[in-house]
């Protein structure tokens, strides 16, 4: 997990002291929940209250709303990337790729507002988003490579094309999103 965090330039780095790391984790978890429930404009005071810390603690860890958005986004992207490696280890190549694309669609569907607000704050072409993209492409490369090697997907597919298509499924009913991913995955077959 630290691999992704170290490769993405964050406004605020994860602390190493135990109490500071605990507060960091509490704040990121509370922010993720609040952003999911009420959108990315949730008040920072509400997030601090949910985390059980004072507003001063929040501002020491995350001096700006953007810093907190980045931390939540990195945690989410890390989770999606970790799933790719878990699926590659635990499932046959086609099933691993399918499961991961479904996970990306669920992520995109639930976090579209967060990503949009963060892009508005720091820009789509920022070093932060470039590093996130590299990590996603590394994870995709593993799954696409395994599936291509096993002959279960068409050769020479561009992972980025499939990721963009998959990530574009947001603001959609979860059942419909799953059906749409099933169509995409079926189209990858040779």
């Amino acid at each position: 997990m630290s691999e992704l965090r170290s490769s993405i330039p964050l406004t605020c780095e994860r602390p190493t002291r135990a109490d500071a790391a605990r507060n960091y984790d509490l704040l990121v978890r509370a922010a993720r929940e609040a952003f999911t429930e009420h959108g990315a404009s949730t008040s920072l005071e509400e997030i601090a209250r949910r985390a059980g810390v004072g507003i001063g603690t929040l501002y020491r860890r995350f001096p700006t709303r953007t810093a907190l958005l980045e931390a939540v986004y990195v945690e989410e992207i890390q989770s999606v990337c970790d799933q790719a490696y878990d699926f590659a280890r635990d499932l046959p190549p086609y099933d691993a790729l399918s499961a991961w694309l479904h996970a990306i669609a669920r992520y995109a569907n639930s976090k579209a507002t967060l990503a949009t607000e963060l892009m508005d704050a720091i820009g789509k072409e920022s070093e932060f988003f470039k590093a996130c993209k590299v990590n996603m492409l590394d994870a995709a490369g593993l799954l696409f490579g395994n599936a291509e090697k096993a002959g279960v997907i068409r050769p020479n597919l561009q992972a980025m094309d499939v990721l963009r298509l998959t990530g574009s499924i947001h603001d959609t009913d979860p059942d419909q999103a799953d059906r749409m991913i099933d169509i995409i995955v079926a189209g990858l077959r040779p």
Side-chain angles (χ1 to χ4, degrees), residues 1 12 17 33 62 116 145 163:
M1 199 182 276
C12 179
R17 239 181 47 225
E33 291 168 3
F62 305 102
T116 300
L163 292 178

Side-chain angles (χ1 to χ4, degrees), residues 39-87:
S41 63
T42 302
S43 78
L44 297 180
E45 290 79 10
E46 168 65 14
I47 292 168
R49 187 193 61 71
R50 282 178 179 237
V53 302
I55 192 68
T57 300
L58 183 144
Y59 279 113
R60 272 191 301 282
R61 290 299 338 134
F62 305 102
T64 65
R65 174 179 295 280
T66 299
L68 184 56
L69 289 168
E70 286 178 349
V72 171
Y73 192 83
V74 164
E75 293 286 328
E76 297 294 325
I77 292 294
Q78 181 64 56
S79 175
V80 171
C81 289
D82 287 348
Q83 287 179 26
Y85 296 100
D86 292 344
F87 292 147

Side-chain angles (χ1 to χ4, degrees), residues 1 4 7 22 26 30 38 40 61-62 75 98 101 103 111 134 145 148 176 190:
M1 199 182 276
L4 177 65
S7 67
R22 180 182 50 79
L26 288 170
H38 305 292
R61 290 299 338 134
F62 305 102
E75 293 286 328
S98 175
L101 293 176
K111 302 301 182 208
V134 165
E148 188 173 331
Q176 183 183 22

Side-chain angles (χ1 to χ4, degrees), residues 94 147-148 150-155 157 185-190:
Y94 183 81
E148 188 173 331
V152 294
I153 64 171
R154 290 184 287 140
L157 285 171
V185 172
L188 302 179
R189 290 258 192 211

